[in-house]
Amino acid sequence: MDSAEPDVAEDSADLPETGEQPVDAAPGGEADEQPAAAHEADDDEPGPALEAVALSAGGSTPLDLVARPGELTLWPGDDGRGTAELALALSGRFRPVTGTVRLLGRETTPALLRRQVVPARVEEAIEAEPRLTVGEYLASCAVLHGSRHNRLDGPQALADVDYQGGAHVPIDELGPADAVRVAVAGALLARPVAVIVDRVDRGVGADDWPGLVADLHRAAELSGVALIASIIRAMEVDR
């Protein structure tokens, strides 16, 4: 599927565009109410960019997550169960069953999340079109994100994720680790608050995993973006 908004975003489970309420659980959810005030951060670390409190969607177990600017945050995805729905809920594109999402320490709306949290890849919902080249894919992402102040250009985004291949390589010829790098580069073009990657370790071999994690850490630090990803296998990870 192309990098355009997923079909699920238009599903009846999604929240409306206007007159929106803060991103809380659907009616009947069991999550406790959370205060609207921003969380206090320690003096030596930035405040949270994105938070999930008891968030569940698509049959997942509740997720508690705090992601900070310039950091990579990984969460275990119950062998893949519900990770796509959670990724979409974190980015304002799917109504959670329980829980709350906060942006920059405050209650938010799905419309604001959709502007500030970019899903780079979500299983069976947001995937790069395999017939495109890397360069064409980044160009399509630039069009999708529109004109934004201080937006990254394609070559800089690829450098930030340490993609070593060429711009003319077809998407369907990329290895699993490079596919993640290119997807993240496309999302970084928007200069969002946060980027979400579903099942970041999908198909990535044990030998390639440490290098990919190091590159994602580096991309988060260079861009200042909170990079958030689900993992579906138990791997040694330097968080």
Side-chain angles (χ1 to χ4, degrees):
M1 184 177 292
D2 200 350
S3 58
E5 298 286 15
D7 293 340
V8 70
E10 302 300 328
D11 192 272
S12 60
D14 194 30
L15 294 174
E17 289 278 350
T18 58
E20 300 180 64
Q21 300 298 316
V23 184
D24 293 320
E30 300 176 356
D32 295 334
E33 293 185 2
Q34 301 294 322
H39 291 197
E40 292 184 2
D42 294 337
D43 292 339
D44 60 347
E45 61 182 11
L50 194 69
E51 298 171 87
V53 180
L55 190 72
S56 66
S60 69
T61 57
L63 173 67
D64 290 298
L65 178 145
V66 177
R68 299 186 183 278
E71 295 183 5
L72 171 65
T73 302
L74 301 170
W75 94 80
D78 289 345
D79 294 325
R81 183 163 56 91
T83 59
E85 290 87 349
L86 278 172
L88 293 169
L90 284 166
S91 60
R93 292 164 171 82
F94 197 87
R95 187 197 296 265
V97 176
T98 65
T100 302
V101 180
R102 297 179 183 276
L103 182 68
L104 299 174
R106 301 180 184 277
E107 289 186 349
T108 186
T109 64
L112 185 56
L113 283 173
R114 286 193 288 270
R115 289 194 295 271
Q116 299 294 341
V117 182
V118 177
R121 184 182 76 185
V122 178
E123 186 90 355
E124 298 182 355
I126 299 174
E127 301 271 1
E129 170 56 55
R131 294 171 296 179
L132 297 178
T133 66
V134 169
E136 290 168 343
Y137 171 68
L138 291 183
S140 72
C141 289
V143 171
L144 177 65
H145 299 320
S147 177
R148 299 196 183 201
H149 177 66
N150 199 30
R151 191 181 68 194
L152 283 179
D153 61 21
Q156 182 60 56
L158 290 175
D160 282 358
V161 297
D162 200 29
Y163 171 71
Q164 301 291 325
H168 298 294
V169 176
I171 292 292
D172 61 0
E173 293 183 9
L174 293 173
D178 272 346
V180 171
R181 292 182 177 97
V182 170
V184 170
L188 288 177
L189 291 179
R191 289 282 195 184
V193 171
V195 168
I196 309 278
V197 186
D198 179 35
R199 307 185 192 192
V200 68
D201 56 340
R202 184 184 69 189
V204 178
D207 291 342
D208 294 330
W209 177 243
L212 176 60
V213 171
D215 288 344
L216 295 179
H217 272 295
R218 177 176 177 271
E221 292 172 0
L222 289 174
S223 65
V225 169
L227 187 50
I228 305 161
S230 65
I231 54 175
I232 56 175
R233 291 179 292 169
M235 287 187 172
E236 291 295 327
V237 177
D238 180 7
R239 295 171 186 268

